Amino acid sequence: MSNNPIGIFDSGLGGLTVWREVRRQLPNEDIVYFADSRNCPYGPKSPDEIVRLARTIADGLLDAGCKLIIVACNTATAAAIDELRAAYSVPFVGMEPAIKQAALHTRSGKVGVLATKGTFNGRLYKATSQKYARNIDVMVQIGDGLVELVEANEYNGPKALPLLQKYIGPMLEHGVDQIVLGCTHYPFFKPQIEALAGPQVTVIDPAPAVARHAADLLAEHSLLNTDSRCVTDVFASSGSTSTMAALLTSITGRKYKRGMLQMGGNQYDCLR
Ligand code: DGL
C-alpha cells in the first residue's frame, strides 16, 4: 500500500496550489490529481450536491489505488469531509481557512478572510473561528468571480485587479494585517494581493501546512513511500485539460502529454 499514489481533488484547478506543495514536501510520492472542472464552481452548490460529487470522485481515486486523499478544496471540505471520513477507510486530509495562524500573528487584532459562500456557511468555518478568533476582529469576504478567472486562465488578466481591489480594499481600510486565502484557487492571485496590500500585511496560503499534515498522517499510518524511483503525476479532469496544461506549465515549466485515465468506471482526459 505504501507504494500507492496520493489522491488530490478540487472543484477545478485551485487544488494545483496544494499539489505544488505536496509535490515539494513529498518528493517520493506518486500523485493522482482530479479537477472536477465540469462542475466548477462548487461555492454556490448545495452541501448535498457537493457530497454526491465528492463521493463519485473519492470512488474514482480509490479505484486508482489512492492510499490517502487530500480534499484540496475548502468548499468540498466544508460540505463533505465528515461524510467522506465516515464512508471510506483511507485517511482524508481537508482544507480549512488558516484562521488560527492569522489569529496568532496579528498585531492589529484584525484579520481578513477571503473564501466562497459554501465555506463560510459550513460548520467547520464557524467552529474554527469560534475556537481561534474569539477575541479577534474577523472581516469576511466572498470572492465571487475569482474561481472562474483561474478556471479560464485569466487570473493575470485585466478582470482580476478590479475584483481584488473590491474585495481587499475594504479589508485594508479596516486595518487588517493578515489576509487568509480560504479557497485553494486564490493563491494564484497571491502576488497581486501582496502588491495591493503592501509589506505590512501577511497573505496566508494554507497549502504548506496541509502538505505537512498529509506527510504526518502518512508517517503515522506507515504509508510513506520510501522508494526513490521516478515518481509520477497524473492530472485528470472532468472537463477540458487545456487550461490545466497551461497552469501546470506555468508552475513547473514543463510540457505535459495528453492521455486518458480510467477511474471508477469513467474515462477522463488527463495529462502526464
Ligand atoms: N478551490 C475551491 C475552494 O477551495 C473553489 C470552490 C469553488 O469551486 O467554488 O473552495
Side-chain angles (χ1 to χ4, degrees):
M1 191 72 170
S2 62
N3 291 345
N4 289 22
I6 295 175
I8 302 180
F9 79 87
D10 178 36
S11 63
L13 304 174
L16 292 177
T17 62
V18 178
W19 166 80
R20 171 173 64 185
E21 266 305 311
V22 175
R23 175 43 69 235
R24 200 177 64 76
Q25 292 189 31
L26 290 163
N28 289 331
E29 301 294 337
D30 293 330
I31 301 176
V32 180
Y33 180 91
F34 185 82
D36 196 7
S37 290
R38 184 153 56 100
N39 295 303
C40 190
Y42 279 7
K45 289 188 170 36
S46 72
D48 284 352
E49 188 172 4
I50 297 172
V51 168
R52 189 180 58 74
L53 294 168
R55 288 197 61 148
T56 305
I57 298 167
D59 285 339
L61 290 172
L62 291 174
D63 185 46
C66 293
K67 60 185 175 183
L68 171 141
I69 295 178
I70 302 177
V71 183
C73 176
N74 293 72
T75 314
T77 302
I81 196 87
D82 293 343
E83 282 80 356
L84 293 172
R85 287 189 174 131
Y88 304 95
S89 57
V90 297
F92 280 85
V93 177
M95 305 294 302
E96 63 183 75
I99 295 189
K100 181 180 173 188
Q101 195 179 334
L104 277 175
H105 292 104
T106 179
R107 300 170 307 277
S108 67
K110 294 175 183 173
V111 310
V113 184
L114 190 62
T116 69
K117 188 170 150 218
T119 295
F120 285 130
N121 285 343
R123 190 182 50 75
L124 198 63
Y125 176 77
K126 291 189 185 99
T128 311
S129 53
Q130 259 162 25
K131 190 163 169 198
Y132 299 113
R134 269 171 182 261
N135 304 315
I136 304 285
D137 180 351
V138 182
M139 188 165 178
V140 300
Q141 174 66 54
I142 296 172
D144 275 334
L146 295 176
V147 166
E148 289 83 346
L149 289 183
V150 173
E151 293 295 312
N153 196 15
E154 287 178 18
Y155 62 96
N156 268 326
K159 291 185 195 148
L161 191 59
L163 274 186
L164 293 173
Q165 276 166 334
K166 184 168 139 199
Y167 299 149
I168 302 301
M171 291 184 186
L172 300 174
E173 274 162 35
H174 191 64
V176 309
D177 62 1
Q178 312 282 317
I179 296 178
V180 175
L181 303 180
C183 165
T184 54
H185 283 73
Y186 300 167
F188 281 105
F189 301 99
K190 194 173 179 221
Q192 297 178 71
I193 297 174
E194 283 174 336
L196 277 175
Q200 303 303 325
V201 177
T202 307
V203 180
I204 306 173
D205 170 7
V210 168
R212 270 196 303 280
H213 182 48
D216 290 346
L217 266 183
L218 287 177
E220 208 177 283
H221 288 81
S222 306
L223 286 173
L224 279 169
N225 194 336
T226 44
D227 269 7
S228 53
R229 75 237 119 85
C230 188
V231 294
T232 61
D233 288 296
V234 185
F235 302 91
S237 174
S238 61
S240 144
T241 52
S242 305
T243 310
M244 184 149 76
L247 288 188
L248 275 169
T249 300
S250 75
I251 294 173
T252 65
R254 262 197 57 195
K255 288 260 188 294
Y256 291 81
K257 284 204 188 85
R258 279 164 211 273
M260 297 300 281
L261 183 70
Q262 178 86 23
M263 232 177 69
N266 296 309
Q267 284 261 90
Y268 297 105
D269 286 342
C270 77
L271 303 168
R272 289 174 211 270

